[in-house]
Structures are given as structure tokens and as C-alpha cells.
Amino acid sequence: MIEQIKNHIQDVKQFQSTNLNQIEEFRIKYLGKKGILNDLFAQFKAVPNEQKKEFGQVVNELKNVATEKVNELKNALASTTSNNSALDLTRPGEPHALGSRHPINIVKNRIVEIFSRIGFTISEGPEIEDDWHNFTALNLPPYHPARDMQDTFFIEQNPDIVLRTHTSSVQIRYMETHQPPIRTLSPGRVYRNEAISSRSHMMFHQIEGLYIDENVSFADLKQTLSYFTNELFGKSEIRLRPSYFPFTEPSAEVDVYWGLETETDYRMTKGTGWLEIMGCGMVDPNVLKNVNIDPEQYSGYAFGMGIERIALLLYQIGDIRLYTENDVRFLEQFKAELF
């Protein structure tokens, strides 16, 4: 019988399993109430006196070996289960790099955020526009020479349908359906048939602002633009140079004083320290009449800028073509915040 117990000890030592049910069956077989060890302890009384000492020793050894084996296998299984639960097997083998926002989107969102603080809301309109909203309502009647400045894409089947040349058409649509006070921004894509150089593009992004209310003056316009340039560039010194736009009168080009602190500043400003950033002016009374707003009661100002140009200045990008080449090395340099 002692030899039989020693065989059990060898069997216990050799037992291996990673299955919890098999380990539990093994425990019950040796350590359960009806297991092998209980049977052996029950037989102890029938063992001859001269063999009791040796019998007791091998039975205790079997009990210790079986207990240690069960604990060892359960601990190993628990450790493996814990590690597997911490490992998400659905995750990709290689980490996905986080993308960056396009610089044009970053700048557009920043401009919108700045003007939203002083009450401007967003308005949008179609990119395929009719002649009335794109030209005529903006004080550009047929055969007006300023139409030639727009380099328009016309739809061949219908010459009265065009790809919009500015987001001012959105402002016309907004004024047709809203009464003053009006304070709105119109960001979006615009199209020009420009083939002047390899740096020209037929599509670019504009953002235009419009404010219509009683007693709006040119001083209000200047104060608004000074606030904007200070928030975006950290520079509030601006100058307004007389210019011409058919839909505003008087009209002006806006320059911001960039400074001459670095060699890049000299290059960007051509040694003057001033940078042109947008056009602006007081809304022409004829435009207000065209959208049924009384110019005797209301006045307003408008301004517009190219987002690509603003992004070029902020990030000092050397070539506008980088915007559309989808070079990951270029795009991943930009973050959601400017500063």
C-alpha cells in the first residue's frame, strides 16, 4: 500500500493543466471529502503498528504535495487571466498616429471664434450661385467693368449660373431673409478662373463679415478691425488705405503693422513693416435697396479676407501650393491651437 501511495505522489507531481475545471476535478480526487486522502486516513487503523509511522509520513507527503500542486496551478491560472484582461486583443498591432487639422481650418475656426465673442453668427450659402446674388444685387449690374475683375467660372448651359466668386453672395441671401440688426460671418470656398502663375488656384477660402444696424459708422468698422487684428496677430496698429469695391462706399484696404524685427519680417513686408490682410468698407446704399433694407434708416459695414493669406502670414508658409499637396510631413506640423 505504501508503494501505491508513492505512485500517487508521482502522479500528483506530474499533473499539469491550465483548465480550471480539470484542476478542480484533480483537487476533489485527492483532497475532497470522498477523495483518495480521506480513504487513506480511514485505512490508518488497519495498518500494522510497525508500518504506521512510515504510512503516516507518505500520506502526509501526498496531502502536502496535492495541496501545493492545486495552489500552484490556480495561482498560475489567475495570473494568466489577469494579464489577458489587461491586454485588449482588439487593438491594432501598430498604433495609429493622431492626425492634425489643416492650417486653413485652424485659422478659419480661430477667426470665427474671435468674431463670435462680439456677436457675429455664421451664415452659409450655395457654391453654385445665380447672377443676381453673385453680381447684380452687389451693385454689379450687367456689363459693369468690375465684373471682369472676378475671373468667373460660368456654367456653359446657363450663363446666369456661376461658381461663386466671393462669399458676399451669402450675405445677400441672409439680408433677403433677415431684418436688421444683422451681424454675420460667411466663411466658405470661392472660385476664380486665375491662370496667372503656377501659384494660382481656381479655388480658395474666404471669410466675410457684415454688420447692419442703425447709426453704424466707419469708426465702428475701424474699432472692430483693430480688435480682430489684436486678437489674431497680437497687433492692433492698423491703417486703412482708400480702395474700390462695387458693393461698399467708401472702401479701404486694411494693413496691419507687422514690424521689422527679423529678416523674415523684412521679406514679408518688403521692408515697410506693413502687411495687407483684407478689404472692407461701408455697405453701399444700393446693396441695401436691392435686399429691401431702408438705407435711410440703416447703415452697415462689410469686410472680407482670404484665409489662405492669413494662414501664410501666421505660419510664415513659403509656398501656397503646400496647402493642396497633402504632404503628411507638412500637415503634421500643425496643431489645433495657434499659440
Side-chain angles (χ1 to χ4, degrees), residues 274-293:
W274 292 92
L275 278 173
E276 178 186 332
I277 58 171
M278 70 172 78
C280 67
M282 301 300 294
V283 178
D284 192 292
N286 288 331
V287 175
L288 296 178
K289 290 178 183 178
N290 289 335
V291 292
N292 297 318
I293 294 177

Side-chain angles (χ1 to χ4, degrees), residues 40-286:
L40 292 174
F41 284 125
Q43 296 174 27
F44 185 76
K45 295 179 180 180
V47 175
N49 289 334
E50 66 273 12
Q51 295 181 2
K52 280 186 177 181
K53 181 178 180 181
E54 184 180 3
F55 182 85
Q57 289 176 341
V58 293
V59 170
N60 281 330
E61 183 181 356
L62 175 60
K63 178 183 177 181
N64 293 335
V65 170
T67 302
E68 291 175 359
K69 176 60 71 171
V70 170
N71 291 336
E72 174 191 333
L73 294 176
K74 283 188 174 181
N75 289 336
L77 184 61
S79 176
T80 303
T81 303
S82 176
N83 290 337
N84 286 341
S85 64
L87 177 63
D88 184 358
L89 299 179
T90 65
R91 296 181 63 184
E94 295 292 334
H96 293 300
L98 294 177
S100 300
R101 293 191 177 185
H102 196 282
I104 291 177
N105 275 335
I106 296 173
V107 173
K108 182 197 75 173
N109 292 340
R110 176 65 173 150
I111 294 172
V112 168
E113 188 270 334
I114 290 172
F115 280 107
S116 69
R117 296 184 211 156
I118 54 175
F120 281 79
T121 59
I122 299 298
S123 56
E124 297 180 338
E127 295 180 15
I128 300 177
E129 192 56 274
D130 58 61
D131 183 279
W132 167 260
H133 291 94
N134 195 77
F135 290 124
T136 306
L138 286 162
N139 208 29
L140 284 157
Y143 309 110
H144 192 292
R147 288 194 179 213
D148 295 335
M149 299 165 55
Q150 302 290 325
D151 299 316
T152 310
F153 282 103
F154 291 92
I155 305 302
E156 290 186 1
Q157 290 79 2
N158 187 345
D160 289 330
I161 303 300
V162 301
L163 297 182
R164 68 182 182 192
T165 58
H166 41 208
T167 54
S168 301
S169 59
V170 180
Q171 297 174 349
I172 294 296
R173 289 183 176 274
Y174 192 87
M175 288 188 287
E176 286 178 333
T177 56
H178 297 76
Q179 285 298 307
I182 293 172
R183 190 184 281 111
T184 184
L185 283 179
S186 306
R189 290 186 291 260
V190 298
Y191 303 85
R192 302 280 178 88
N193 187 15
E194 296 179 352
I196 300 171
S197 70
S198 60
R199 298 192 178 200
S200 298
H201 292 75
M202 73 173 189
M203 183 276 291
F204 55 98
H205 298 79
Q206 269 190 350
I207 187 164
E208 299 189 39
L210 174 71
Y211 178 39
I212 305 292
D213 203 349
E214 295 182 358
N215 302 316
V216 177
S217 69
F218 204 93
D220 297 320
L221 170 60
K222 184 177 180 181
Q223 185 64 29
T224 299
L225 297 181
S226 180
Y227 155 78
F228 166 69
T229 57
N230 187 60
E231 292 297 308
L232 186 64
F233 301 109
K235 306 172 189 295
S236 59
E237 184 177 358
I238 62 173
R239 69 181 183 186
L240 291 92
R241 294 178 288 105
S243 186
Y244 168 75
F245 304 109
F247 30 85
T248 55
E249 180 59 39
S251 303
E253 299 282 357
V254 182
D255 300 334
V256 61
Y257 187 73
W258 194 263
L260 293 171
E261 297 178 4
T262 67
E263 183 179 343
T264 302
D265 293 341
Y266 276 89
R267 177 178 56 81
M268 291 173 57
T269 66
K270 299 181 180 178
T272 67
W274 292 92
L275 278 173
E276 178 186 332
I277 58 171
M278 70 172 78
C280 67
M282 301 300 294
V283 178
D284 192 292
N286 288 331

Side-chain angles (χ1 to χ4, degrees), residues 21-33:
N21 292 331
Q22 291 179 358
I23 296 173
E24 183 62 16
E25 290 174 0
F26 174 82
R27 185 192 68 80
I28 293 172
K29 176 182 177 181
Y30 284 96
L31 302 173
K33 291 182 178 181

